[in-house]
């Protein structure tokens, strides 16, 4: 079993910044990648960013490229999402996810474990 806990969400003004954290606990062996998804009211859950545990390779959705940065601390089994230049369109519940084997990085089906989500609200 693996438990993922997100934190760091909150309310910020447009142009501001937030850093989200995702701490993994339990049987965290053989982790291939960790990723972030988000879901706005009335919309489907969408890919935001992902990072490989071993190589550190990063991947981003076009909508956040240049504004968001994903990173990880392998010793702490923790992933981070630094969000800068936030826009009202970024308002959503953000979810952390973990995969054990490579099958892809952009689909929800590529990840085995999910956190409960943290709310990010960006005001204008």
């Amino acid at each position: 079993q693996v438990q993922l806990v997100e934190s760091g969400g909150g309310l910020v003004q447009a142009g501001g910044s937030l850093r989200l954290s995702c701490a993994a606990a339990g049987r965290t062996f053989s982790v291939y990648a960790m990723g972030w998804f988000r879901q706005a009211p009335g919309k489907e859950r969408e890919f935001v960013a992902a990072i490989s545990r071993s190589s550190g390779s990063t991947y981003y959705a076009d909508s956040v490229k240049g504004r968001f940065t994903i990173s990880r601390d392998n010793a702490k089994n923790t992933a981070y999402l630094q969000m800068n230049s936030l826009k009202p369109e970024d308002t959503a519940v953000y979810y952390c996810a973990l995969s054990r084997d490579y099958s892809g990085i952009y689909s929800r089906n590529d990840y085995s474990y999910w956190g409960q989500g943290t709310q990010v609200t960006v005001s204008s």
Side-chain angles (χ1 to χ4, degrees):
Q1 287 288 334
V2 175
Q3 183 176 356
L4 303 177
V5 180
E6 302 100 331
S7 62
L11 173 64
V12 297
Q13 291 186 322
S17 299
L18 284 174
R19 189 176 79 153
L20 306 183
S21 298
C22 173
R27 303 183 69 182
T28 56
F29 60 89
S30 189
V31 174
Y32 177 77
M34 298 185 73
W36 290 93
F37 287 72
R38 67 186 182 186
Q39 187 166 19
K43 294 186 177 295
E44 298 291 331
R45 190 173 300 184
E46 65 178 1
F47 171 81
V48 176
I51 185 167
S52 166
R53 182 186 184 279
S54 59
S55 70
S57 298
T58 57
Y59 307 87
Y60 298 95
D62 289 341
S63 60
V64 306
K65 201 170 297 182
R67 299 188 297 120
F68 291 10
T69 303
I70 188 171
S71 61
R72 83 280 195 255
D73 185 332
N74 289 342
K76 295 181 178 180
N77 290 318
T78 300
Y80 306 93
L81 185 68
Q82 178 66 45
M83 305 185 294
N84 298 326
S85 301
L86 283 163
K87 305 174 181 179
E89 307 91 89
D90 296 318
T91 295
V93 176
Y94 283 70
Y95 297 89
C96 177
L98 180 150
S99 67
R100 293 198 181 279
D101 300 297
Y102 175 76
S103 61
I105 54 173
Y106 300 112
S107 171
R108 293 177 60 183
N109 297 138
D110 296 324
Y111 297 85
S112 301
Y113 302 94
W114 293 85
Q116 294 178 311
T118 185
Q119 177 70 49
V120 172
T121 303
V122 184
S123 65
S124 59

